Amino acid sequence: MSALAQSVRAGFESRFAAQPASLWSAPGRVNLIGEHTDYNDGFVFPFAIDRRTVVAMALRPDRLLRVASSFAEETVELSLDDLTPENLAGWSAYPLGVAWALGQFGADLAVVAGFDVFIDSDVPIGAGLSSSAAIESAVAVALNDLWQLGLDRRVLARVGQLAENRAVGAPTGIMDQSASLLGQADAAVFLDCRSLDAEVIPLGFAPADLELLIIDTRVSHAHSTGGYASRRASCELGARMLGVASLRDLTVNDLPRAAELLDDETLRRVRHVITENQRVLDTVRTLREQGPTAIGALLDASHVSMRDDFEISVPELDLAVETARGAGAIGARMTGGGFGGAAIALTPRSLIPRVTAEVTAAFAARGLTAPDLFVVHAADGASRAE
Ligand code: ADP
Ligand code: MG
């Protein structure tokens, strides 16, 4: 049993004075490319990472839900009879929101048993590595087992998304939960967010002596507020003005027409989504045909588009990307929703110490909070553990 699993089991026992039925876990994810394309019905290419959220859970003889986490002192309690999005707030809205959302996808919440759950995680919170999808997916697979729902993983991804949209109030897409639930070791999930078709594509980083370095700027983002929602609104406006159901229906050939019809800001938002969708397709094709050393330029172009057209970068992310490239990374971009969080740098293994040192020094020279740098590997998705 991993140290994390041991501490989750111990945490459950001390909070609830009982044994869990079992443990389940789900990974965070990093998005290799395809940012803000998911809610535009487009393409994304994330992978599950070797950082996980572990939950210990047991059903109860009554209708009570008790939720505890190593991140919070409080144990939150709610009856299944009171389980509505309006009654949820704070961190417990993630696990309890999943229980509610399962009811929207077939679980009969009028008859299921209550549960106790204890949660711990080594996915950094708020770093753009989706600790939120990790907690949702871990709870979703646990309840799918204990409530014997037999729901498919693609449905569980939609359950997690609904929880995040309705119970938490963050208007995020389906990408994070799909990566956390469908990911496989050494591979990324090529996801069509319209059809929800997912294809697992080998990354081949190890044989190419490449590592994916995360640079967590430790500038925190907040998806439920401000920028994320306004970008989403711009995309909806652009699609409406161009007469399509979503920006997915447009290609680079539509850009001249968009330039005629849209105001400058909406045009730039739309252009990011259109070109980013194309970059995802190009990345998948390039990986297959030429291998991972050939995708660097696409990562770089994605960053420029987010910085200049979608305007979701921050100076710390730009500094991380530029310094990593200067120190030998073959491609780098901010990842996740933006306004903070992490950048990724695809880096030859031998250069990881140099990139780490130079990025750290660049932040120190500007008096910025020291970033956290670490390598992640593509890992398997959610699973039942012991
Ligand atoms: P990200 O998904 O990028 O890490 P979010 O803001 O989407 O950032 O989600 C982070 C939130 O998810 C936390 O603030 C907390 O409310 C909740 N969360 C994530 N992991 C845990 C955990 N292990 N225990 C309790 N809450 C958690
Ligand atoms: Mg999140």
Side-chain angles (χ1 to χ4, degrees):
M1 206 183 346
S2 72
L4 185 56
Q6 269 172 21
S7 88
V8 172
R9 184 172 282 278
F12 186 97
E13 288 167 4
S14 84
R15 292 281 185 113
F16 301 121
Q19 296 283 319
S22 188
L23 270 58
W24 292 259
S25 71
R29 65 94 188 95
V30 64
N31 192 19
L32 191 57
I33 196 159
E35 223 65 79
H36 287 260
T37 45
D38 60 351
Y39 56 78
N40 289 298
D41 281 352
F43 304 106
V44 293
F45 197 39
F47 63 83
I49 60 174
D50 47 354
R51 299 280 191 123
R52 299 180 85 84
T53 294
V54 181
V55 304
M57 192 182 279
L59 293 183
R60 298 174 51 85
D62 57 19
R63 302 263 301 155
L64 193 60
L65 308 176
R66 293 196 298 180
V67 196
S69 163
S70 62
F71 290 96
E73 295 281 309
E74 51 171 0
T75 298
V76 177
E77 299 194 6
L78 189 76
S79 165
L80 269 162
D81 302 316
D82 299 324
L83 187 61
T84 61
E86 297 70 38
N87 285 343
L88 304 179
W91 68 270
S92 64
Y94 292 84
L96 293 174
V98 168
W100 168 80
L102 283 166
Q104 307 294 306
F105 281 91
D108 186 352
L109 297 187
V111 302
V112 294
F115 59 78
D116 292 335
V117 63
F118 184 83
I119 302 158
D120 198 356
S121 179
D122 63 9
V123 185
I125 286 184
L129 298 178
S130 210
S131 68
S132 55
I135 189 173
E136 289 152 7
S137 302
V139 171
V141 290
L143 285 174
N144 193 41
D145 281 354
L146 290 180
W147 282 348
Q148 301 184 326
L149 302 173
L151 295 173
D152 176 81
R153 279 177 180 240
R154 286 158 206 242
V155 175
L156 294 182
R158 292 168 66 202
V159 165
Q161 184 195 11
L162 185 65
E164 189 143 348
N165 292 168
R166 289 286 310 282
V168 177
T172 49
I174 190 77
M175 165 170 69
D176 301 356
Q177 296 80 7
S178 300
S180 184
L181 286 156
L182 304 174
Q184 288 181 20
D186 305 318
V189 180
F190 171 41
L191 180 72
D192 179 334
C193 297
R194 171 168 278 170
S195 65
L196 299 187
D197 283 346
E199 198 180 342
V200 174
I201 312 268
L203 286 166
F205 287 172
D209 288 322
L210 289 172
E211 297 279 14
L212 196 81
L213 182 66
I214 305 284
I215 308 166
D216 177 6
T217 63
R218 300 173 64 197
V219 176
S220 75
H221 65 94
H223 283 174
S224 17
T225 56
Y228 191 98
S230 87
R231 294 309 181 280
R232 208 174 158 141
S234 287
C235 293
E236 281 161 15
L237 174 67
R240 203 162 53 240
M241 292 192 62
L242 293 164
V244 289
S246 70
L247 295 183
R248 156 68 181 278
D249 298 310
L250 302 173
T251 71
V252 286
N253 297 330
D254 295 297
L255 284 172
R257 186 167 64 93
E260 278 171 27
L261 289 173
L262 304 179
D263 65 89
D264 174 63
E265 184 182 280
T266 310
L267 171 64
R268 286 184 292 114
R269 305 297 188 248
V270 166
R271 186 165 59 202
H272 166 71
V273 175
I274 291 176
T275 58
E276 186 78 351
N277 273 327
Q278 187 60 49
R279 280 186 290 271
V280 175
L281 299 176
D282 291 346
T283 300
V284 172
R285 198 195 56 229
T286 303
L287 259 183
R288 281 185 170 134
E289 293 175 359
Q290 300 172 55
T293 46
I295 67 171
L298 290 159
L299 302 182
D300 293 343
S302 173
H303 186 75
V304 169
S305 179
M306 287 187 283
R307 185 190 66 199
D308 298 344
D309 274 353
F310 220 56
E311 294 181 284
I312 54 171
S313 190
V314 292
E316 290 86 346
L317 286 167
D318 294 338
L319 180 65
V321 164
E322 280 153 28
T323 311
R325 285 288 279 115
I330 65 167
R333 59 183 285 273
M334 54 151 285
T335 185
F339 309 103
I344 56 173
L346 189 58
T347 306
R349 186 172 301 125
S350 61
L351 294 179
I352 292 286
R354 178 164 142 196
V355 172
T356 303
E358 290 196 18
V359 171
T360 305
F363 274 62
R366 285 162 186 76
L368 300 168
T369 304
D372 194 12
L373 292 97
F374 53 94
V375 164
V376 291
H377 299 109
D380 285 327
S383 61
R384 186 174 188 145
E386 50 259 303

